[in-house]
Amino acid sequence: MARAREIGEGNSSSLREQRNLREKDRRMRMKHLFSELSSHVSPTRKLPVPQLIDQATSYTIHLKEKLNYLKEKKRILLQGELGNLYEGSSLLPKLSIRSRDSTIELNLIMDLNMKRVMLHELVSIFEEEGAQVMSANLQNLNDRTTYTIIAQAIISRIGIDPSRIEERVRKIIYGYIFFEA
């Protein structure tokens, strides 16, 4: 009879140890998952779990809104309703090029939700067209990116053709708009 009691106690002890091991494994998996989530949401600092979950939730909502925005924009662009929807809207880029003597200035304002044009691409257009870039700036404000480039003709007698620069810049800009997301 003493032997039966020992076997019974062994079983309950064994079950308890198995439960403890399962719980330990579950906690380790959760710790690993939270660590992985933290690396995506806040890679620079470790957050407490409730803040981490709140931040991950808001980040997911933001991504979902951006995805919906881009899908809608793509649908409208594919339907060819570009002129009707975007007249007076801030979605299309605003490009202005001013030329005075042998100096040319480009100002470009784009919505942040658009795929970004790289500043070096714009600078290379100026250089290929025979201009020396004197200053090039990129500025992010709220939901817009502003590019400003001031360049001067390398050979002032020849000058710079602003219409050719504008044409090439528009190809870059609208190429990005129609082929993004």
Side-chain angles (χ1 to χ4, degrees), residues 63-141:
L63 286 178
K64 185 176 181 182
E65 289 171 353
K66 187 172 182 178
L67 178 67
N68 288 338
Y69 167 83
L70 290 172
K71 281 182 179 178
E72 180 65 17
K73 191 166 106 176
K74 181 179 178 180
R75 183 188 66 78
I76 290 169
L77 288 173
L78 291 175
Q79 288 179 352
E81 299 175 5
L82 183 65
N84 298 337
L85 181 70
Y86 293 128
E87 282 180 15
S89 174
S90 65
L91 289 178
L92 286 180
K94 292 176 179 72
L95 174 66
S96 71
I97 296 180
R98 285 181 285 242
S99 177
R100 189 175 300 135
D101 299 328
S102 62
T103 305
I104 189 166
E105 179 181 347
L106 171 133
N107 289 305
L108 173 62
I109 301 171
M110 294 184 72
D111 192 273
L112 267 182
N113 291 322
M114 293 179 178
K115 189 171 181 179
R116 291 185 59 182
V117 173
M118 302 305 278
L119 187 61
H120 71 84
E121 292 175 308
L122 298 174
V123 169
S124 69
I125 289 174
F126 279 85
E127 291 172 347
E128 290 167 7
E129 293 297 324
Q132 179 181 0
V133 175
M134 296 166 27
S135 77
N137 296 310
L138 169 78
Q139 192 173 33
N140 290 325
L141 295 170

Side-chain angles (χ1 to χ4, degrees), residues 5 21-23 31 35 45-46 53 66 76 83 90 93 105 110 113 126-127 155 170 173 179-180:
R5 187 181 258 178
L21 284 175
R22 281 195 306 266
E23 179 63 17
K31 186 176 180 180
S35 172
R45 61 190 170 112
K46 187 170 171 91
I53 292 173
K66 187 172 182 178
I76 290 169
S90 65
E105 179 181 347
M110 294 184 72
N113 291 322
F126 279 85
E127 291 172 347
I155 303 170
R170 287 191 186 278
I173 295 168
F179 298 113
E180 72 179 13

